[in-house]
Amino acid sequence: SSDVCSSDLINQGGNDTIVGVLPWIEDQFLVFMKKSIYVAFVDTSNYATGSSPGINSSITVVTTEVGCLARKSIASAGQFVFFLSGKGVHMITPQLDLKLVGNTLPLSEPIDDFFDSVNYAAASKSVSSYYDNRFFMALPINGASRPNAIIVYNTLNQQWEGIDTYPTGLYIDDYAICQYSQKRRQFILTRFSGTTSYGGIFLTEEYTGGDQFTSQDRKST
């Protein structure tokens, strides 16, 4: 079983584990597990610090057909929520009947052939970001043990618009969106892993011709 709070259990005895939790609508939040998804409602009408949630609190199963593979793949993008499952990338919206999630094709169906190259043994390290009306997900491909390719979905025209790959040595271990030079910009974070494995912080989405990365960009510790 997996604890959510002191008095609630998600899928008790179901041989499943919580991957991540995300605020949803009003007093609800989505609970992503490896094999399933739940919606939890917390009744705050009589809530006091340290006490149990109100008696109207509930936990409802959304699907037992789809789960989430990576906590950092869960991304909130305005009214959308994206996440990585064993079937590809899924998108949830408040208007969608959540019970249909497991029965519908994944959002990534048009680029399904890309997922043939994903190293699912390391998929738990996948990371996502939402920036400039686009959803970015970095995944490990071609046997890599860390994310080394990025798929990009445009939420305005609702189409996949790119698959970005980088030279050997640059991994997308995380994203950061912060103020830089009077504008919010997106950065790729690559961990330092010893003197032969370089890392750094790389500004992205600044050139119309794509990001630039050369050996001169890499600095050792």
Side-chain angles (χ1 to χ4, degrees), residues 57-159:
S57 299
S58 62
I59 296 172
T60 305
V61 63
V62 173
T63 179
T64 56
E65 298 180 24
V66 174
C68 180
L69 298 183
R71 179 178 63 85
K72 288 189 175 182
S73 75
I74 304 170
S76 177
Q79 64 176 326
F80 309 111
V81 174
F82 300 89
F83 67 96
L84 176 66
S85 80
K87 297 181 179 180
V89 178
H90 286 266
M91 181 179 71
I92 298 175
T93 72
Q95 293 78 30
L96 179 66
D97 181 351
L98 294 179
K99 295 186 182 299
L100 296 177
V101 170
N103 300 320
T104 56
L105 290 175
L107 181 71
S108 56
E109 180 67 19
I111 56 170
D112 185 65
D113 56 339
F114 166 81
F115 287 86
D116 293 337
S117 65
V118 172
N119 177 15
Y120 281 95
S124 62
K125 298 179 181 179
S126 300
V127 296
S128 296
S129 174
Y130 181 64
Y131 172 75
D132 193 25
N133 297 310
R134 291 169 174 82
F135 166 71
F136 301 81
M137 179 178 286
L139 305 105
I141 66 170
N142 300 329
S145 60
R146 296 157 65 184
N148 60 340
I150 300 172
I151 53 178
V152 185
Y153 181 79
N154 189 313
T155 58
L156 293 181
N157 60 28
Q158 300 182 10
Q159 296 290 332

Side-chain angles (χ1 to χ4, degrees), residues 1-62:
S1 64
S2 303
D3 290 326
V4 172
C5 60
S6 60
S7 62
D8 289 325
L9 295 174
I10 299 291
N11 197 21
Q12 186 175 9
N15 191 27
D16 208 349
T17 55
I18 292 178
V19 175
V21 176
L22 187 74
W24 185 231
I25 304 168
E26 296 178 348
D27 294 323
Q28 297 178 331
F29 56 91
L30 293 172
V31 181
F32 294 89
M33 305 186 77
K34 287 185 177 180
K35 303 176 184 178
S36 54
I37 302 173
Y38 290 78
V39 171
F41 167 70
V42 179
D43 177 10
T44 61
S45 60
N46 60 348
Y47 181 76
T49 302
S51 68
S52 300
I55 60 173
N56 292 320
S57 299
S58 62
I59 296 172
T60 305
V61 63
V62 173

